[in-house]
Amino acid sequence: MKMTKKILFGAAALCAAVLFSGCNWSLTSALQKTIGEDIFKYNDATYYSGLGTWTIDNVTNESATEYLRGGKLLLTKHSDIAALVKINNGINESLVTSSNQSAAVGNLGVLFNVSQNKGKDEEGNKLSNYGTWNFCVIGVQAYSATQVRYYVSYFANIVEEDMGKMNFGAWTGDEDTGSAITKTTFDANTLTPYEIELATWKTISGLATEGTFGIVFDVDEESNGDYTVKAYDESTVSSSHVFDSEGVTAKSEVSIDADKLGKSGAAQAYVGAYGMIKAGQTLDGSIEVLDLTKQAILLAE
């Protein structure tokens, strides 16, 4: 079983909101921040082990051309997160074209290693990327009636208002003729948006039944700052909402080197939920937080 460690700093200020491991607690709305569109509803945990669920309840993207994207961040920092991602009826075969075989109506997933840029120059002036976001995202979708696929990417210098844009604004040109702005590793000297592809689309066959599936993503940070992302079948979650992967082989695994993310060691960051709905489509699903470890209380500014 994945062991839970919660280390609280400044607990006197927020002990009513977050308790030590072994006590029941929930992720109240006061401990959340919306980035991008507010497409999630939040349900506090009503069970002992689970920590709460963000839900996209048959939300329709009314735009004919643009994605609808949104995220929820916990305003406490964590090294790790495990979450059950569920998508219901997540395909529309009419979306398939000769150049794009994906029938997915959208993606759901997890945000981790989230930070906000606060840099200033030697004279104390804010850098041009001040207030923008850096984050890793796991996006999973029902690629077809029988296949699930996901990707893992790191995005840097993302303007909050651009969260809904193509590639979170890390894009040159329009959606039809442009291309992604990508790098291979973190670049501290680049203050404009870019993406590092940590894992391009990885297919997990045998999960989707007409676009309906559940999958657990388990994000673990190592002591040197590396991350391991593992994907497990929904059967690893018990009826009491406990995630137990002991003795279970992950269906897929991604290793992420700390130096790709500009990290020199382990460092807590914000985590949360992510959702994207394609133009004109409707998405129904949820992201249930199963485990948060190595927690420190630190509210975002």
Side-chain angles (χ1 to χ4, degrees):
M1 180 179 295
K2 184 176 178 183
M3 300 301 291
T4 300
K5 302 176 184 177
K6 297 186 175 73
I7 305 171
L8 278 71
F9 301 101
L14 284 172
C15 61
V18 183
L19 306 179
F20 284 100
S21 177
C23 299
N24 187 23
W25 63 285
S26 61
L27 311 173
T28 66
S29 58
L31 292 174
Q32 299 177 49
K33 173 181 173 58
T34 298
I35 56 176
E37 296 294 331
D38 194 1
I39 57 179
F40 288 100
K41 295 193 302 184
Y42 183 75
N43 302 312
D44 284 343
T46 56
Y47 33 81
Y48 182 80
S49 300
L51 303 180
T53 302
W54 287 288
T55 301
I56 289 183
D57 187 9
N58 284 304
V59 175
T60 299
N61 179 2
E62 302 293 347
S63 172
T65 58
E66 299 178 355
Y67 290 161
L68 185 67
R69 276 197 179 98
K72 288 284 191 180
L73 298 179
L74 300 183
L75 299 190
T76 53
K77 291 187 175 182
H78 303 267
S79 296
D80 310 333
I81 181 173
L84 171 60
V85 180
K86 301 184 77 169
I87 290 180
N88 306 312
N89 302 315
I91 62 169
N92 182 344
E93 294 290 353
S94 68
L95 294 173
V96 175
T97 64
S98 58
S99 60
N100 185 358
Q101 296 297 303
S102 174
V105 300
N107 304 340
L108 283 180
V110 177
L111 298 169
F112 67 97
N113 190 44
V114 184
S115 64
Q116 195 169 23
N117 294 308
K118 298 290 184 180
K120 297 181 180 180
D121 62 20
E122 295 179 355
E123 298 179 351
N125 300 311
K126 295 179 180 178
L127 297 178
S128 59
N129 70 338
Y130 191 94
T132 59
W133 293 94
N134 313 310
F135 56 86
C136 293
V137 60
I138 305 169
V140 62
Q141 63 178 211
Y143 179 75
S144 69
T146 58
Q147 286 189 322
V148 169
R149 68 176 188 172
Y150 74 97
Y151 73 95
V152 185
S153 277
Y154 175 78
F155 288 88
N157 305 318
I158 302 303
V159 178
E160 191 165 322
E161 291 77 13
D162 288 348
M163 280 291 295
K165 291 186 178 180
M166 185 68 176
N167 226 43
F168 301 103
W171 189 260
T172 177
D174 61 35
E175 290 195 16
D176 295 324
T177 61
S179 59
I181 302 171
T182 61
K183 293 181 177 290
T184 56
T185 59
F186 176 80
D187 186 348
N189 295 319
T190 298
L191 305 182
T192 54
Y194 65 87
E195 175 188 7
I196 299 170
E197 295 181 341
L198 303 172
T200 54
W201 287 110
K202 297 174 70 69
T203 299
I204 303 177
S205 299
L207 285 183
T209 303
E210 295 303 319
T212 296
F213 67 92
I215 188 168
V216 176
F217 286 105
D218 184 22
V219 179
D220 284 306
E221 184 187 44
E222 308 299 332
S223 59
N224 64 354
D226 291 352
Y227 282 103
T228 302
V229 176
K230 295 182 179 180
Y232 291 93
D233 188 87
E234 186 180 4
S235 62
T236 53
V237 182
S238 71
S239 58
S240 58
H241 302 263
V242 173
F243 168 53
D244 185 359
S245 60
E246 185 175 0
V248 179
T249 301
K251 298 185 76 67
S252 182
E253 182 174 337
V254 174
S255 297
I256 301 169
D257 293 336
D259 58 0
K260 279 185 169 290
L261 309 177
K263 298 172 60 181
S264 57
Q268 293 181 344
Y270 301 114
V271 296
Y274 163 70
M276 181 276 282
I277 309 172
K278 292 182 179 180
Q281 302 302 308
T282 298
L283 182 62
D284 182 75
S286 62
I287 301 163
E288 177 186 348
V289 180
L290 300 168
D291 193 31
L292 296 165
T293 59
K294 308 182 190 76
Q295 173 178 309
I297 293 177
L298 181 60
L299 292 184
E301 295 179 1

